[in-house]
Every structure is written in structure tokens, then in C-alpha cells.
Amino acid sequence: MIKTPEDDKKLLNRYFLMICFAALFTGMCMQMLNSNLAPFANDVLHSKSLAGYLATAFSAGSIPMAFFCGWMVNSKGRRNSYVLGCLLFGLPTLACAFWPTPAFVLTARFIQGMAKSVVTVAATSIVSDVIPRAQMSEGMGLYGLGGTLTMAFGPMLALALTADKNYFLMFVVCGVLYMSACFIGFGLNYENKPAYAEEIAAKKQLSANAENAGYKGIWKWIERKAIPASLNFTVYFSSTCSILVFITVYSQEILAYTGAQIGMFYMVAAAVMFVTRLTMARVADKYGALRVLLPGHLGVMVMYLLLIFFSAQSYLVYLTIGGLYGYCSASVTPVFNAAAVVDSPKARNGTASATFAFLMDFGPLASTTVFGLVIDMAASPTFGYRNVFLISIGINLLSLTMSFFLFNKRARSRRLAKAELPEMAAARI
């Protein structure tokens, strides 16, 4: 049976399914590395602070690259950019299996950070191209749910592969996963097909028109109206980085949990995240962002307090912490991301998303370096982790304060009105 362009315009068309499968492979790799590089630094390189440096190197690569990803995707093509990004991520990851030295792994993480920005922007552009406009929200939601699955199974797979403290196989599997996504990327050859070429050209022209309408210099790459929500999320994300980077090694070293027990932490977090993503967006749309953000901020503080005072006493408390982590991540992140895009002019939605991703990476860049040093300089690892968790609570309080100013009813109405003015004026013309 021969497919027509109209078949590709359905939500579950072959290109959408291909990029979703590719995202599962890249997401699995990311989750495996995020959750197990700290144990790798501790077991193989004998340094907790190096775990923070690895996260910093990753962010240092992704942040500057975020400036150029939109231009690259538009000028060089979605498929070409996606394939290049996968190659830049997969090959250094494979090489880490054979050269696990501090200098090489730090260099590899810097390159991976650059590649991550390219892959993320290219994949998001592909998804927005191949999803019917009438089903955009539904399609983006389905695409995003894949990340929930990888959060559950990525860390569990990495823990199974590194049970004997040998990280060779983990790097090999991660590299193969990314190269598999690269292989799928070669099949994303839709850009010159009639069903998509006209819409892609229109998007490029819309972006060019926006740049010519007063967006000069650095503001071609950064959307001003997306900065408040993006900066707020940067602070919030910084407060959760100690969980993202150090929870696995903390669970092994301080709580003495096995790989299977730690894997259940991620499983519970992913299950709660899955349910939360399906429900909380509607709450934010109906009742306002603060109704979602306040429980998210408070949940982070409760999570750290439980981790400091009660996680060693009960495995059930430990799993509860996993559930809180999943809830807070799934409820807060989409609200900030949506605010950054909605507050920006429609013609600059892509730039707003890039601004959000760009500023988000500043969280790990600063916090993980400090956290690793705090742990290494403490009198004992227990005190080091406790201090890091307390600092994280303080950072979250700062983000909570920012949320009150940026998302109260009056500020929200004023920002939305400002964001709509250029579009309303254009509509009158």
C-alpha cells in the first residue's frame, strides 16, 4: 500500500514515530549518564568534585551552542543537524569506554553538551514539523512522555551494567544507543516533500521577518520576554541538581542501598511523573501557574528535609522522596516552559524555547561545581551531602520568592498584555 502526503499529516505518521523512537534511545543514554557519572567519578576517578566538574563541562558546551542551534537547523536542515548532533554525542561516549581518564572524560562531556543542544533543537523542530497543527498539544505531550519512560529505565539499566563497578559496558551501551538514533535520523527525509516543504519555508520566513523587525545583535538569538520565566526556572533547576547528579552515589555510599533498591527510586519517580504530566497542565491552564508552582516548590523542600533526616531510617521514606522528585519535576518544568513561550510573540516561539533551554543550562553550570566541592571539603561525606541539600533548600526558597513576583495575577496579566501588543497591532494592519 502506497502512502500519500495526507498519511504523513496524521498524528501517528511514520516520521513522528521515528523521532519518538530515536528520542527514547537518546533519552536512555542521557539518563544513564546523568545518574551514574557521579558514581563513575567516585569509583574510577576517586573524586566527588569531579562529578560536579563533569556536569559543568556538559553545561559549558551546551550553553554557547544554544545560540547557534536555531540558525543551524534552519540553514542546514533538520535531518542533517539531528544526525550531526547524534554523531557528536555518540562517538565521544563510545571513546570514554576506552579512555576513562579525567581529562578525556571532561573533554567528552563538553562535546556532548554541544551535541545535546543540537539534538534537542533539531528534534523539537522535527516534531513540530510533522505533527498536524490541530493536534500540536497532543503530539507534543506524546513526545514528552517518552522522557518519562527513559527516566525509569535508564538509571536502572546503568545500575545493572555497573553492578561490579566496571563502567566500560555502560559507555558502550550509551554510545550504541546514540548511534542507533543517528541511524534512525537518516530516515527523516521529509523536508523536501510537498506535504512539509511549504510549511517549513513559511516558518523560516516568519523567523526572518521577526529578526528584521527590531531584533538586532544578541537579541536575534535571545527572546527578551522569555527571560523572566526562564531565569526563574534556572534557579529552580539549580535547587534540584543535587538530586539529579548525586542521588545515586549518595544512595550507595550513605544509605548503602543496592542497585535494585536505587532503581525503584527512579521507577517511582517516573510513575509519578507520568501521572503528573497527564493532569497538572490542565490545572495550570484553569487556575493559574501559582496553583501548580507553589506545591512544586514546597515539595522540593519537603523532599530534601526527608532526605536529610529520615531517608536512612526507612526505605519507604526513600521511595516517597522519589515520588516527590517526580511530581515536582513534572509539574513545575512545563509551567515555566509554557510561560516562556506564551509570553513571547508567536513569531519568536522558537527563539523563546531556545532562550529557555539556554538559561536552564546555567543551573547545573554553577551549582554542580559548588556542590561537588562542598562534598569533598566536608569533614565527612554525610556532612557534605547534608550541606548540599540545605543549600538546595535555600536556592529553592529564592525561586519560590521569584515565582510570587513573576506569576501573581497582576504581573501575569501585565506580561500577557505586553506580549500580545505587537501581534494585535500587526493584526490591525
Short mmCIF file of all heavy atoms in Angstrom, two decimals, residues 78-126:
data_model
loop_
_atom_site.label_atom_id
_atom_site.label_comp_id
_atom_site.label_asym_id
_atom_site.label_seq_id
_atom_site.Cartn_x
_atom_site.Cartn_y
_atom_site.Cartn_z
N ARG A 78 16.84 20.09 9.19
CA ARG A 78 16.54 19.37 10.42
C ARG A 78 17.29 18.04 10.50
O ARG A 78 17.95 17.72 11.48
CB ARG A 78 15.04 19.10 10.53
CG ARG A 78 14.23 20.23 11.13
CD ARG A 78 13.94 21.33 10.14
NE ARG A 78 12.77 22.10 10.54
CZ ARG A 78 12.69 23.41 10.46
NH1 ARG A 78 13.71 24.12 10.02
NH2 ARG A 78 11.59 24.04 10.83
N ARG A 79 17.15 17.24 9.42
CA ARG A 79 17.76 15.91 9.45
C ARG A 79 19.27 16.00 9.56
O ARG A 79 19.88 15.29 10.38
CB ARG A 79 17.38 15.13 8.19
CG ARG A 79 17.97 13.72 8.17
CD ARG A 79 17.64 12.95 6.92
NE ARG A 79 18.30 13.51 5.75
CZ ARG A 79 18.35 12.91 4.56
NH1 ARG A 79 17.75 11.74 4.40
NH2 ARG A 79 18.96 13.46 3.54
N ASN A 80 19.90 16.83 8.77
CA ASN A 80 21.36 16.95 8.81
C ASN A 80 21.85 17.37 10.19
O ASN A 80 22.86 16.85 10.70
CB ASN A 80 21.84 17.94 7.75
CG ASN A 80 21.60 17.46 6.34
OD1 ASN A 80 21.41 16.26 6.11
ND2 ASN A 80 21.59 18.37 5.38
N SER A 81 21.14 18.32 10.80
CA SER A 81 21.53 18.78 12.13
C SER A 81 21.37 17.68 13.17
O SER A 81 22.23 17.48 14.04
CB SER A 81 20.71 20.01 12.53
OG SER A 81 20.91 21.08 11.64
N TYR A 82 20.26 16.96 13.07
CA TYR A 82 19.99 15.89 14.04
C TYR A 82 21.06 14.79 13.93
O TYR A 82 21.59 14.32 14.95
CB TYR A 82 18.60 15.30 13.80
CG TYR A 82 18.19 14.29 14.83
CD1 TYR A 82 17.71 14.71 16.08
CD2 TYR A 82 18.28 12.92 14.59
CE1 TYR A 82 17.34 13.79 17.04
CE2 TYR A 82 17.92 12.00 15.55
CZ TYR A 82 17.44 12.44 16.78
OH TYR A 82 17.09 11.52 17.73
N VAL A 83 21.37 14.38 12.72
CA VAL A 83 22.37 13.33 12.51
C VAL A 83 23.74 13.79 13.02
O VAL A 83 24.46 13.03 13.70
CB VAL A 83 22.44 12.94 11.02
CG1 VAL A 83 23.66 12.06 10.75
CG2 VAL A 83 21.17 12.22 10.60
N LEU A 84 24.11 15.03 12.72
CA LEU A 84 25.39 15.56 13.19
C LEU A 84 25.45 15.57 14.71
O LEU A 84 26.46 15.19 15.31
CB LEU A 84 25.61 16.97 12.64
CG LEU A 84 26.87 17.69 13.13
CD1 LEU A 84 28.12 16.93 12.69
CD2 LEU A 84 26.90 19.13 12.62
N GLY A 85 24.36 16.01 15.35
CA GLY A 85 24.33 16.04 16.81
C GLY A 85 24.48 14.66 17.41
O GLY A 85 25.20 14.47 18.40
N CYS A 86 23.82 13.67 16.82
CA CYS A 86 23.92 12.29 17.33
C CYS A 86 25.34 11.75 17.19
O CYS A 86 25.84 11.06 18.09
CB CYS A 86 22.94 11.39 16.59
SG CYS A 86 21.20 11.66 17.04
N LEU A 87 25.98 12.06 16.08
CA LEU A 87 27.37 11.62 15.88
C LEU A 87 28.29 12.27 16.91
O LEU A 87 29.16 11.60 17.50
CB LEU A 87 27.83 11.97 14.47
CG LEU A 87 27.29 11.10 13.33
CD1 LEU A 87 27.70 11.69 11.99
CD2 LEU A 87 27.80 9.67 13.46
N LEU A 88 28.11 13.58 17.14
CA LEU A 88 28.95 14.29 18.09
C LEU A 88 28.76 13.80 19.52
O LEU A 88 29.68 13.92 20.35
CB LEU A 88 28.66 15.80 18.03
CG LEU A 88 29.23 16.55 16.82
CD1 LEU A 88 28.76 18.00 16.83
CD2 LEU A 88 30.75 16.48 16.81
N PHE A 89 27.59 13.26 19.82
CA PHE A 89 27.36 12.73 21.16
C PHE A 89 27.80 11.27 21.25
O PHE A 89 28.44 10.87 22.23
CB PHE A 89 25.87 12.83 21.51
CG PHE A 89 25.59 12.78 22.99
CD1 PHE A 89 25.18 13.91 23.67
CD2 PHE A 89 25.74 11.60 23.71
CE1 PHE A 89 24.93 13.86 25.04
CE2 PHE A 89 25.49 11.54 25.07
CZ PHE A 89 25.09 12.68 25.74
N GLY A 90 27.45 10.47 20.26
CA GLY A 90 27.69 9.03 20.35
C GLY A 90 29.15 8.64 20.30
O GLY A 90 29.60 7.77 21.07
N LEU A 91 29.92 9.25 19.41
CA LEU A 91 31.32 8.85 19.24
C LEU A 91 32.17 9.14 20.49
O LEU A 91 32.93 8.26 20.94
CB LEU A 91 31.91 9.52 18.00
CG LEU A 91 31.31 9.05 16.67
CD1 LEU A 91 31.91 9.83 15.51
CD2 LEU A 91 31.52 7.55 16.47
N PRO A 92 32.10 10.35 21.09
CA PRO A 92 32.86 10.57 22.34
C PRO A 92 32.41 9.66 23.48
O PRO A 92 33.23 9.28 24.32
CB PRO A 92 32.58 12.04 22.66
CG PRO A 92 32.20 12.66 21.37
CD PRO A 92 31.46 11.60 20.63
N THR A 93 31.13 9.32 23.51
CA THR A 93 30.64 8.42 24.56
C THR A 93 31.27 7.04 24.42
O THR A 93 31.71 6.44 25.41
CB THR A 93 29.11 8.31 24.49
OG1 THR A 93 28.54 9.63 24.57
CG2 THR A 93 28.57 7.47 25.64
N LEU A 94 31.32 6.53 23.21
CA LEU A 94 32.00 5.24 22.96
C LEU A 94 33.47 5.33 23.35
O LEU A 94 34.02 4.39 23.95
CB LEU A 94 31.86 4.86 21.49
CG LEU A 94 30.53 4.25 21.04
CD1 LEU A 94 30.49 4.13 19.52
CD2 LEU A 94 30.33 2.88 21.69
N ALA A 95 34.10 6.45 23.03
CA ALA A 95 35.53 6.60 23.31
C ALA A 95 35.82 6.59 24.81
O ALA A 95 36.89 6.15 25.25
CB ALA A 95 36.05 7.88 22.67
N CYS A 96 34.86 7.07 25.63
CA CYS A 96 35.05 7.09 27.08
C CYS A 96 35.23 5.69 27.66
O CYS A 96 35.85 5.52 28.71
CB CYS A 96 33.87 7.77 27.77
SG CYS A 96 33.83 9.56 27.60
N ALA A 97 34.69 4.69 26.97
CA ALA A 97 34.86 3.31 27.43
C ALA A 97 36.31 2.87 27.36
O ALA A 97 36.76 2.04 28.16
CB ALA A 97 33.98 2.38 26.60
N PHE A 98 37.06 3.44 26.42
CA PHE A 98 38.44 3.01 26.21
C PHE A 98 39.46 3.97 26.82
O PHE A 98 40.60 3.57 27.07
CB PHE A 98 38.70 2.90 24.70
CG PHE A 98 37.79 1.92 24.01
CD1 PHE A 98 36.63 2.35 23.39
CD2 PHE A 98 38.08 0.56 24.01
CE1 PHE A 98 35.77 1.44 22.76
CE2 PHE A 98 37.25 -0.35 23.39
CZ PHE A 98 36.09 0.08 22.77
N TRP A 99 39.06 5.22 27.08
CA TRP A 99 39.98 6.20 27.68
C TRP A 99 39.28 6.90 28.86
O TRP A 99 38.97 8.10 28.79
CB TRP A 99 40.42 7.23 26.66
CG TRP A 99 41.25 6.64 25.56
CD1 TRP A 99 42.56 6.22 25.63
CD2 TRP A 99 40.82 6.39 24.22
NE1 TRP A 99 42.96 5.74 24.43
CE2 TRP A 99 41.92 5.81 23.53
CE3 TRP A 99 39.62 6.58 23.53
CZ2 TRP A 99 41.85 5.44 22.21
CZ3 TRP A 99 39.55 6.19 22.20
CH2 TRP A 99 40.66 5.64 21.56
N PRO A 100 39.04 6.18 29.96
CA PRO A 100 38.33 6.78 31.11
C PRO A 100 39.26 7.59 32.01
O PRO A 100 39.39 7.33 33.20
CB PRO A 100 37.78 5.55 31.83
CG PRO A 100 38.80 4.48 31.57
CD PRO A 100 39.32 4.75 30.18
N THR A 101 39.91 8.60 31.42
CA THR A 101 40.78 9.48 32.20
C THR A 101 40.06 10.79 32.46
O THR A 101 39.18 11.19 31.69
CB THR A 101 42.09 9.76 31.43
OG1 THR A 101 41.78 10.46 30.21
CG2 THR A 101 42.80 8.45 31.09
N PRO A 102 40.41 11.49 33.53
CA PRO A 102 39.71 12.75 33.84
C PRO A 102 39.72 13.75 32.69
O PRO A 102 38.69 14.33 32.36
CB PRO A 102 40.47 13.28 35.06
CG PRO A 102 41.03 12.07 35.71
CD PRO A 102 41.38 11.13 34.60
N ALA A 103 40.88 13.95 32.08
CA ALA A 103 40.97 14.95 31.01
C ALA A 103 40.10 14.57 29.82
O ALA A 103 39.38 15.41 29.26
CB ALA A 103 42.43 15.11 30.57
N PHE A 104 40.15 13.29 29.44
CA PHE A 104 39.38 12.90 28.26
C PHE A 104 37.88 12.92 28.54
O PHE A 104 37.10 13.38 27.71
CB PHE A 104 39.77 11.49 27.79
CG PHE A 104 39.07 11.08 26.53
CD1 PHE A 104 39.55 11.49 25.29
CD2 PHE A 104 37.90 10.33 26.56
CE1 PHE A 104 38.89 11.15 24.12
CE2 PHE A 104 37.24 9.98 25.40
CZ PHE A 104 37.74 10.39 24.17
N VAL A 105 37.47 12.45 29.71
CA VAL A 105 36.03 12.41 30.02
C VAL A 105 35.48 13.83 30.13
O VAL A 105 34.36 14.10 29.68
CB VAL A 105 35.77 11.61 31.31
CG1 VAL A 105 34.29 11.65 31.67
CG2 VAL A 105 36.22 10.17 31.15
N LEU A 106 36.24 14.76 30.70
CA LEU A 106 35.81 16.16 30.75
C LEU A 106 35.65 16.73 29.35
O LEU A 106 34.67 17.43 29.06
CB LEU A 106 36.81 16.99 31.55
CG LEU A 106 36.73 16.88 33.08
CD1 LEU A 106 37.95 17.52 33.71
CD2 LEU A 106 35.45 17.53 33.60
N THR A 107 36.60 16.42 28.47
CA THR A 107 36.51 16.90 27.08
C THR A 107 35.30 16.29 26.38
O THR A 107 34.57 16.99 25.66
CB THR A 107 37.79 16.53 26.31
OG1 THR A 107 38.92 17.11 26.97
CG2 THR A 107 37.72 17.04 24.88
N ALA A 108 35.08 14.99 26.62
CA ALA A 108 33.94 14.32 26.01
C ALA A 108 32.63 14.92 26.48
O ALA A 108 31.69 15.12 25.68
CB ALA A 108 33.98 12.82 26.33
N ARG A 109 32.54 15.25 27.75
CA ARG A 109 31.30 15.84 28.28
C ARG A 109 31.06 17.23 27.68
O ARG A 109 29.91 17.61 27.43
CB ARG A 109 31.36 15.95 29.80
CG ARG A 109 31.20 14.65 30.53
CD ARG A 109 29.89 13.97 30.22
NE ARG A 109 28.78 14.55 30.96
CZ ARG A 109 27.50 14.27 30.73
NH1 ARG A 109 27.16 13.43 29.77
NH2 ARG A 109 26.54 14.83 31.45
N PHE A 110 32.12 17.99 27.43
CA PHE A 110 31.96 19.29 26.78
C PHE A 110 31.38 19.11 25.37
O PHE A 110 30.45 19.81 24.97
CB PHE A 110 33.31 20.01 26.71
CG PHE A 110 33.26 21.35 26.05
CD1 PHE A 110 32.86 22.47 26.75
CD2 PHE A 110 33.61 21.49 24.71
CE1 PHE A 110 32.79 23.72 26.14
CE2 PHE A 110 33.56 22.73 24.08
CZ PHE A 110 33.15 23.84 24.81
N ILE A 111 31.93 18.16 24.62
CA ILE A 111 31.43 17.89 23.27
C ILE A 111 29.99 17.37 23.32
O ILE A 111 29.14 17.75 22.50
CB ILE A 111 32.35 16.89 22.55
CG1 ILE A 111 33.74 17.48 22.39
CG2 ILE A 111 31.77 16.50 21.18
CD1 ILE A 111 34.77 16.49 21.86
N GLN A 112 29.70 16.51 24.29
CA GLN A 112 28.34 16.00 24.45
C GLN A 112 27.36 17.13 24.74
O GLN A 112 26.22 17.10 24.28
CB GLN A 112 28.29 14.97 25.58
CG GLN A 112 28.95 13.65 25.24
CD GLN A 112 29.07 12.73 26.44
OE1 GLN A 112 28.89 13.16 27.59
NE2 GLN A 112 29.41 11.47 26.21
N GLY A 113 27.79 18.12 25.52
CA GLY A 113 26.92 19.25 25.80
C GLY A 113 26.57 20.02 24.53
O GLY A 113 25.41 20.39 24.31
N MET A 114 27.57 20.24 23.68
CA MET A 114 27.30 20.89 22.40
C MET A 114 26.32 20.06 21.57
O MET A 114 25.37 20.58 21.00
CB MET A 114 28.61 21.07 21.63
CG MET A 114 29.62 21.98 22.30
SD MET A 114 31.22 22.01 21.43
CE MET A 114 30.71 22.69 19.85
N ALA A 115 26.57 18.76 21.52
CA ALA A 115 25.72 17.87 20.73
C ALA A 115 24.30 17.82 21.26
O ALA A 115 23.33 17.78 20.49
CB ALA A 115 26.32 16.47 20.71
N LYS A 116 24.16 17.86 22.58
CA LYS A 116 22.82 17.80 23.18
C LYS A 116 21.97 18.97 22.74
O LYS A 116 20.77 18.82 22.44
CB LYS A 116 22.95 17.78 24.70
CG LYS A 116 21.66 17.97 25.47
CD LYS A 116 21.58 19.37 26.06
CE LYS A 116 20.34 19.58 26.90
NZ LYS A 116 20.25 20.97 27.41
N SER A 117 22.56 20.16 22.67
CA SER A 117 21.80 21.33 22.22
C SER A 117 21.32 21.15 20.79
O SER A 117 20.16 21.45 20.46
CB SER A 117 22.66 22.59 22.32
OG SER A 117 22.89 22.95 23.66
N VAL A 118 22.21 20.65 19.92
CA VAL A 118 21.84 20.44 18.52
C VAL A 118 20.73 19.41 18.40
O VAL A 118 19.73 19.62 17.70
CB VAL A 118 23.07 20.01 17.70
CG1 VAL A 118 22.67 19.72 16.26
CG2 VAL A 118 24.15 21.08 17.75
N VAL A 119 20.89 18.29 19.09
CA VAL A 119 19.89 17.21 19.01
C VAL A 119 18.54 17.68 19.54
O VAL A 119 17.50 17.41 18.94
CB VAL A 119 20.39 15.97 19.80
CG1 VAL A 119 19.27 14.94 19.94
CG2 VAL A 119 21.59 15.35 19.10
N THR A 120 18.55 18.40 20.66
CA THR A 120 17.29 18.84 21.27
C THR A 120 16.53 19.78 20.36
O THR A 120 15.33 19.61 20.12
CB THR A 120 17.57 19.52 22.62
OG1 THR A 120 18.22 18.60 23.49
CG2 THR A 120 16.27 19.99 23.26
N VAL A 121 17.22 20.80 19.83
CA VAL A 121 16.55 21.78 18.98
C VAL A 121 16.11 21.14 17.67
O VAL A 121 14.99 21.38 17.19
CB VAL A 121 17.48 22.98 18.71
CG1 VAL A 121 16.85 23.93 17.69
CG2 VAL A 121 17.77 23.72 20.00
N ALA A 122 16.95 20.30 17.08
CA ALA A 122 16.59 19.64 15.82
C ALA A 122 15.39 18.72 16.02
O ALA A 122 14.46 18.71 15.21
CB ALA A 122 17.78 18.86 15.27
N ALA A 123 15.41 17.94 17.11
CA ALA A 123 14.30 17.01 17.36
C ALA A 123 13.00 17.76 17.59
O ALA A 123 11.94 17.36 17.08
CB ALA A 123 14.63 16.13 18.56
N THR A 124 13.05 18.85 18.36
CA THR A 124 11.84 19.63 18.61
C THR A 124 11.31 20.23 17.32
O THR A 124 10.09 20.26 17.09
CB THR A 124 12.14 20.75 19.63
OG1 THR A 124 12.66 20.17 20.83
CG2 THR A 124 10.87 21.52 19.96
N SER A 125 12.20 20.69 16.45
CA SER A 125 11.78 21.24 15.16
C SER A 125 11.14 20.16 14.29
O SER A 125 10.13 20.40 13.61
CB SER A 125 12.98 21.85 14.43
OG SER A 125 13.54 22.91 15.17
N ILE A 126 11.71 18.97 14.31
CA ILE A 126 11.15 17.86 13.53
C ILE A 126 9.75 17.52 14.01
O ILE A 126 8.82 17.36 13.22
CB ILE A 126 12.07 16.63 13.62
CG1 ILE A 126 13.38 16.89 12.86
CG2 ILE A 126 11.38 15.39 13.06
CD1 ILE A 126 14.46 15.86 13.11
#
